[in-house]
Amino acid sequence: MAGYEIRTSNSKKGKGLFATKKYDQGAVILEEDPLVSCQFAWNAAYRYLACDYCMRPLETPEQNVRRLACKPDIVLPHSNCFETNLESITTCNQCAVLYCSEMCRDRAYATYHRLLCYDTSDAQHPITVLLEAWKQMHYPPETTNIMLLVRILAYIEQSSNPSQAAAKIKQFCHRTVNEDAELVHKLLGEQFADQLNTLRDLTSNLISGEHVQEFLTPEGFCSLMALIGTNGQGIGTSPLAMWVNAVLEITMSDDERQQIDLFIDKLYQYVEEESGTFLNTEGSGLFQLQSACNHSCAPNAESSFPYGNHRIQLKALKPILPGDEICISYLDDCALQRSRHSRQKELAQNYLFVCWCERCSSQSSQPDCTSEEEMSEDDADD
Ligand SMILES: [Zn+2]
Ligand SMILES: [Zn+2]
Ligand SMILES: [Zn+2]
């Protein structure tokens, strides 16, 4: 039986995820595959080869680090501690899209790929045209992807019960038209109105049908863009990180441990020199349970991708009691360390809410700015 439920919270936050049993620190609360997921457009263009369905990287840790560090002769020790099943890589029967396994290929085809299968070398194809237009609007660091939106539409249209699938998607939307427009403005920048129309036209060229029409009107499309902007959960996978984690688990002598630690430090140094901080296969996905989790600046849970693909895991960061709300942080670690003012500013801009978590409430007497660094950053934003 599940140890959690989605229900309305007493505060103004609307729905939330609540524990119905006790979780010890470190306990797994839930695991979930997304309704749909998609690798970011530039991430794919930069040769981060991944399964088109589950985002599992299609290279070994050694191939990964050789590519990122531009050092073709790096050899990773303990390479057997981490299994990569590259023999099972396969392609779609009709196009060149790659999958990590036949299972992923079949699931993709059954979920959305039947409507989206196309010749990727065709520069005139509506999907190629949309992707190129998108890449001109949205540069790295990428936060969302137009193809996630397209896959959502295909998921609805291909479903055996399209109205139920559409209802599932609409559960993620709970804002007013003005709020949606504000979020999309933030996502696309100053020219958002023009760009939104362009994206809508290009999307309508590649998918249509009775059940997706409501999402292709100006308001419906804006709301769907806002949905992927706020509910799209970032997904990151890295063969190198998986190997490092596996090596940490191996029992070895102190000497050997020290050597391998130094070796790993050096690897990351090489990688950083060549590839900067863009190390992961990155994309985003739409998760039903995970997206019900509200934000807290003092979260009691965190999510990760322990299987090296798009399957998410939610773990308790501290003991959680029955009735407690399960909260994650929408801010990254760095932003989370900042003052209440900075945290609230970022949450208001990206998610349109004022945070009244325990930590924010207890810091409500803090001044609106706490450091010069934050003040000058604020100026730069404005
Ligand atoms: Zn896969
Ligand atoms: Zn195909
Ligand atoms: Zn807060």
Side-chain angles (χ1 to χ4, degrees):
M1 200 189 77
Y4 50 81
E5 61 183 358
I6 297 176
R7 63 171 161 86
T8 313
S9 72
N10 308 328
S11 62
K12 287 183 204 144
K13 286 183 290 191
K15 278 191 299 185
L17 191 70
F18 290 82
T20 55
K21 69 171 203 189
K22 181 177 180 285
Y23 291 101
D24 295 327
Q25 183 176 344
V28 173
I29 299 167
L30 62 88
E31 286 186 357
E32 171 184 33
D33 288 326
L35 282 180
V36 277
S37 70
C38 191
Q39 189 180 4
F40 290 146
W42 281 108
N43 192 263
Y46 283 132
R47 297 190 304 134
Y48 285 79
L49 215 56
C51 172
D52 199 55
Y53 181 73
C54 78
M55 282 187 56
R56 186 184 299 285
L58 300 179
E59 49 185 13
T60 64
E62 199 166 79
Q63 289 168 338
N64 184 236
V65 72
R66 285 176 176 179
R67 177 172 61 82
L68 291 174
C70 282
K71 289 194 190 303
D73 44 12
I74 288 181
V75 176
L76 291 186
H78 306 288
S79 58
N80 53 348
C81 72
F82 175 73
E83 217 179 305
T84 31
N85 242 337
L86 300 189
E87 306 79 48
S88 60
I89 294 178
T90 183
T91 62
C92 167
N93 294 327
Q94 278 119 62
C95 73
V97 159
L98 289 168
Y99 296 104
C100 73
S101 62
E102 286 179 7
M103 192 178 73
C104 281
R105 181 194 66 197
D106 296 346
R107 284 187 177 170
Y109 203 79
T111 316
Y112 52 75
H113 188 69
R114 182 168 55 79
L115 289 177
L116 301 178
C117 184
Y118 78 111
D119 175 5
T120 45
S121 64
D122 177 0
Q124 305 304 317
H125 191 280
I127 295 183
T128 319
V129 176
L130 174 67
L131 269 175
E132 286 312 308
W134 174 255
K135 280 195 282 177
Q136 296 311 309
M137 297 176 192
H138 196 73
Y139 292 98
E142 295 173 283
T143 52
T144 188
N145 189 355
I146 192 69
M147 280 311 285
L148 184 65
L149 183 149
V150 171
R151 283 187 179 179
I152 290 171
L153 295 175
Y155 158 80
I156 294 171
E157 200 57 38
Q158 245 191 253
S159 167
S160 56
N161 188 342
S163 25
Q164 197 179 50
K168 240 185 212 175
I169 296 302
K170 279 192 279 189
Q171 278 179 358
F172 291 96
C173 318
H174 43 73
R175 282 174 303 259
T176 64
V177 175
N178 283 340
E179 286 173 333
D180 283 338
E182 200 180 321
L183 286 165
V184 174
H185 188 166
K186 163 78 188 165
L187 194 70
L188 293 175
E190 271 320 302
Q191 297 162 294
F192 89 102
D194 286 348
Q195 295 187 334
L196 193 64
N197 276 329
T198 307
L199 292 171
R200 188 170 69 90
D201 283 348
L202 295 176
T203 303
S204 311
N205 288 345
L206 70 90
I207 192 154
S208 60
E210 194 191 329
H211 304 281
V212 298
Q213 278 323 307
E214 62 174 311
F215 297 101
L216 292 170
T217 63
E219 279 180 7
F221 193 76
C222 183
S223 150
L224 203 52
M225 279 296 282
L227 183 153
I228 61 162
T230 50
N231 289 289
Q233 159 75 40
I235 299 171
T237 58
S238 153
L240 180 59
M242 296 283 286
W243 173 82
V244 169
N245 286 338
V247 167
L248 284 178
E249 300 291 317
I250 303 174
T251 359
M252 52 177 82
S253 71
D254 288 353
D255 265 7
E256 210 186 340
R257 176 61 66 196
Q258 211 173 4
Q259 293 221 325
I260 197 108
D261 283 350
L262 282 173
F263 177 73
I264 290 171
D265 283 350
K266 216 158 67 187
L267 284 183
Y268 274 106
Q269 209 178 316
Y270 292 149
V271 165
E272 202 183 312
E273 280 162 19
E274 277 305 321
S275 305
T277 48
F278 295 104
L279 310 182
N280 294 345
T281 303
E282 288 182 353
S284 61
L286 206 53
F287 295 86
Q288 281 189 288
L289 294 168
Q290 158 80 11
S291 70
C293 263
N294 285 310
H295 165 86
S296 165
C297 302
N300 57 7
E302 76 176 345
S303 44
S304 64
F305 298 90
Y307 302 106
N309 64 4
H310 66 190
R311 187 169 179 79
I312 205 168
Q313 185 183 69
L314 193 63
K315 258 182 165 178
L317 283 173
K318 38 185 133 175
I320 299 176
L321 298 173
D324 283 357
E325 180 166 9
I326 301 167
C327 290
I328 55 172
S329 170
Y330 295 177
L331 301 170
D332 62 31
D333 284 347
C334 177
L336 203 54
Q337 301 309 319
R338 296 198 166 167
S339 70
R340 183 184 67 102
H341 173 72
S342 302
R343 297 197 308 270
Q344 296 214 332
K345 186 173 170 183
E346 193 169 332
L347 291 166
Q349 277 186 344
N350 294 308
Y351 300 95
L352 304 185
F353 71 85
V354 177
C355 186
W356 279 109
C357 72
E358 252 173 71
R359 189 170 153 213
C360 286
S361 307
S362 74
Q363 291 173 340
S364 59
S365 57
Q366 255 186 22
D368 272 354
C369 277
T370 49
S371 73
E372 233 165 70
E373 180 212 352
E374 282 174 354
M375 275 175 74
S376 54
E377 272 178 25
D378 285 358
D379 289 345
D381 288 353
D382 293 336

